[in-house]
Amino acid sequence: MSGARTSTLATLRGSIARLEQGAAHDLNKVSLGHTAADEVLQGGLALAAVHEVFAEGHQGATASGFIAGLAGRVSPRRPLIWVRQDFSEIETGALSMSGLCELGLDPRLLVTVRAQDTDAALRTAADALACDALGAVVLEVWGEARQLDLVASRKLTLAAQASGVTALLLRMAAEPRPSTAETRWIVRAAHSPPGSPWSAWGTPVFDAQLVRNRHGPVGRWIMEWKCDECLFSEPAAYSQPVAATPARRPHPAAAQGAFRRSA
C-alpha cells in the first residue's frame, strides 16, 4: 500500500510541476525594457500576479520609486490604487504627486488609500483587486506583519488571477517570508549619472536584485528608469571626471622639510 501511495504522490507532483512549467509560458507579460532582466523573466513581468518589492535598510524612497516604475509598466493607461498603512506615512512621509508625475505616472489615474492598520490594508487591497477596471494595486505595509502570511498571499494571488489586475506588494522594514509571489525583489539605490545642465539631479538608477522567480533563475542588475519613455534600461556609460593636479603644488619632501624646520 505504501508503494502505491508513493507512486501516486510522485505522479501528482510530476503533474503539478508540468502545469507550473506550462503556466510560465501562458502568463501575459509586459517587458520592463531592461534586456537582461526581461530575458531572465522570460519576456517580462507577469500580469495578473503578485510581485513583492522589499526595501533594504533605509531605502524606502528607493523601493517606492522602483515599485512606481513597475506600476508604470504594468498599468500605463489604466487606474492605479495605492493602499498605504498609516504607519508608513509616519515613517517615510506622504506620496508626492509631483514626484510620481516626474517619474512618468499620471496622477489623474492614481488613487491613494490610507488604511488604519495591516488588516484594513489587506481588506482594501483584496477589494481593489476584485475590480477589473484597474491596472494594478500597490499594497504598502510596514514592518513584520504577521497577517501577511502564506494564506493571505494566496488570497491576493487568486484575486489577481480572477480579475486580471496585478498586485504589487511594497514591504518596508520587513524580511521576506514564504508567499505565492511570482517575483520578489530587494532594491537599493545606485549612483545616477550626471544630469543635464538644466536638471538638478540625474535619472533614477536602482540596484535591483531578483531573489525569487517562480519560473526561472534569479539575478541582479543596475536598472535605470527612463521617466519620459516609462521603462527600465541599462545605464548609459559615462566618463568620470578626474580632479586636476593643483598648479605650483610643493613636492612632498620639500613640504616635510619645511615642517621640520618650523618645529
Side-chain angles (χ1 to χ4, degrees):
M1 180 64 69
S2 61
R5 288 179 178 176
T6 302
S7 177
T8 302
L9 286 174
T11 302
L12 289 174
R13 290 193 182 103
S15 300
I16 292 172
R18 285 191 295 273
L19 287 173
E20 289 185 342
Q21 290 173 0
H25 302 284
D26 295 337
L27 292 172
N28 291 324
K29 298 182 179 182
V30 59
S31 169
L32 295 179
H34 191 282
T35 304
D38 285 335
E39 183 177 352
V40 168
L41 294 171
Q42 301 180 32
L45 202 71
L47 303 177
V50 175
H51 304 276
E52 297 174 336
V53 175
F54 284 78
E56 184 176 83
H58 301 284
Q59 301 278 349
T62 303
S64 297
F66 183 78
I67 210 165
L70 295 183
R73 295 301 299 155
V74 168
S75 178
R77 291 177 294 276
R78 300 181 68 186
L80 165 68
I81 289 186
W82 195 309
V83 182
R84 305 190 82 207
Q85 192 180 350
D86 275 344
F87 197 74
S88 294
E89 186 159 318
I90 295 174
E91 289 290 333
T92 61
L95 292 174
S96 169
M97 293 299 106
S98 59
L100 292 174
C101 183
E102 289 185 5
L103 287 174
L105 298 184
D106 188 348
R108 297 170 298 180
L109 297 176
L110 174 61
V111 176
T112 59
V113 180
R114 291 176 55 182
Q116 182 178 2
D117 50 30
T118 304
D119 291 320
L122 277 171
R123 289 194 300 269
T124 304
D127 290 342
L129 285 172
C131 178
D132 59 7
L134 301 176
V137 174
V138 175
L139 172 59
E140 182 178 342
V141 178
W142 181 275
E144 301 290 352
R146 60 176 179 80
Q147 299 92 329
L148 196 52
D149 55 11
L150 187 59
V151 175
S153 178
R154 180 61 177 167
K155 289 180 179 179
L156 294 176
T157 296
L158 292 175
Q161 291 174 346
S163 64
V165 181
T166 305
L168 303 172
L169 271 59
L170 178 56
R171 303 299 311 277
M172 305 284 197
E175 294 293 330
R177 300 171 60 185
S179 73
T180 58
E182 282 289 321
T183 65
R184 177 182 297 141
W185 304 78
I186 298 177
V187 181
R188 311 164 186 86
H191 293 290
S192 295
S196 56
W198 57 85
S199 176
W201 51 78
T203 56
V205 181
F206 305 95
D207 178 354
Q209 184 177 5
L210 178 64
V211 297
R212 171 182 167 85
N213 180 9
R214 289 190 66 190
H215 303 292
V218 295
R220 184 174 181 177
W221 309 277
I222 301 299
M223 303 173 68
E224 180 177 346
W225 175 249
K226 299 288 189 180
C227 301
D228 294 333
E229 297 87 346
C230 281
L231 54 79
F232 294 96
S233 69
E234 293 82 359
Y238 63 95
S239 57
Q240 294 279 5
V242 178
T245 303
R248 298 179 181 177
R249 183 176 181 179
H251 191 275
Q256 186 176 6
F259 174 76
R260 288 176 178 173
R261 286 193 299 272
S262 64

